Structures are given as C-alpha cells and as structure tokens.
Amino acid sequence: MKDDQQILQQKFLEFQLLQQHLETIQQQIQLLNQQNLELTKLKDSLSDLENSKQGQKIFSQLGPGIFVKADLKQIDEVLFNIGSDILVNKSIKDAISIFDSQQKDIIKSNMELEGQFRKIVSRVIELQEDIQKLKK
C-alpha cells in the first residue's frame, strides 16, 4: 500500500510539472503567433509604401498612438536595423524577403512547439488515468 502511495505522489508530481510545461509552451506559441502577425502587418505596410508616390503625405508612427505628418522622399528603400542600432539601406523587396524568411522560421518553431504540446497532453492524459486507478 505504501508503494502505491509513493507511486501516486510521483505521478501527481509529474502531472503538475507537465501542466506547468504546457502553460509555458502555450505562452511561447502565443508569442510566436503575435510576432507572426506583426511581421504580416509590417510586410503589408511595406507593400503599401512600395505602391505610394514620392512626395505623398503620410502619418509616421513614433510610438503607440503617436504620429507625425511626413512627406515621402524616398520610397524604394527603407532603413533596416541589423542590430546594435546599426541601420542599413534595404530595398523594399529585400526587406519583405527577410520578413518572409523570419515568418518561415516562426512557423517552423510554432509547429515544433505544437508537436511537443500534443506529446505532453498525451502523457498528461495517461497520468490522469493512472492517478485515477491508483486512487481506487
């Protein structure tokens, strides 16, 4: 009987740890989905810019809810942050291509996380069944 109690405690502890791991994976998936959405919006904005005309008046966002009026002077290139606040000129097509590549990486990571999630859910269900049997 003591062995059953010890096994029950071990399974319950594993169950709790896996539940926490599931929550972490869910948060990571949500973060990746948000990043993917932001990249899609950014690519849409770049496409809009590509279809704009030089001298066109636009609103340029400085931060959340803060804009300035601006005139487009150069529409064939954008400044791209490559890290450490270093900016380089990129064509709009190159920028979109970079974002496409980032989205592919995000989708791949998301699929891997979803695979892990499914495996852990299967193990959690198995543990629930074992715990129920041991409680009887």
Side-chain angles (χ1 to χ4, degrees):
M1 206 45 145
K2 205 170 201 182
D3 288 338
D4 283 350
Q5 186 66 25
Q6 199 170 26
I7 292 170
L8 178 64
Q9 286 177 343
Q10 287 174 343
K11 288 190 181 283
F12 189 70
L13 179 61
E14 183 182 356
F15 175 82
Q16 288 178 318
L17 291 173
L18 289 176
Q19 286 287 88
Q20 290 173 353
H21 193 55
L22 284 175
E23 289 176 20
T24 301
I25 290 174
Q26 280 179 316
Q27 290 170 355
Q28 290 173 334
I29 288 171
Q30 287 175 345
L31 179 62
L32 287 173
N33 287 337
Q34 182 63 34
Q35 288 174 341
N36 193 34
L37 180 65
E38 288 172 10
L39 285 173
T40 297
K41 288 179 182 177
L42 185 53
K43 286 179 3 184
D44 289 345
S45 294
L46 286 172
S47 292
D48 289 345
L49 179 63
E50 196 172 37
N51 296 324
S52 298
K53 294 180 181 149
Q54 196 165 346
Q56 183 175 339
K57 296 196 181 303
I58 63 166
F59 290 106
S60 180
Q61 187 171 6
L62 297 178
I66 300 173
F67 298 85
V68 294
K69 293 178 185 177
D71 295 326
L72 284 176
K73 293 192 183 228
Q74 185 176 6
I75 58 172
D76 55 344
E77 289 185 328
V78 292
L79 290 173
F80 204 88
N81 187 345
I82 59 170
S84 300
D85 290 332
I86 297 172
L87 303 174
V88 295
N89 285 325
K90 293 278 183 190
S91 72
I92 290 175
K93 287 187 187 333
D94 286 346
I96 290 173
S97 178
I98 290 168
F99 296 139
D100 282 337
S101 176
Q102 289 176 349
Q103 281 187 300
K104 285 178 187 171
D105 291 342
I106 287 172
I107 290 168
K108 181 181 174 191
S109 295
N110 207 338
M111 290 173 64
E112 290 171 3
L113 284 172
E114 287 173 355
Q116 289 177 20
F117 188 86
R118 283 190 296 275
K119 286 180 185 175
I120 293 171
V121 166
S122 294
R123 179 64 182 147
V124 165
I125 291 169
E126 187 180 304
L127 284 169
Q128 283 177 320
E129 292 169 357
D130 291 349
I131 290 169
Q132 289 302 320
K133 288 177 189 173
L134 288 168
K135 281 186 173 181
K136 292 181 180 179

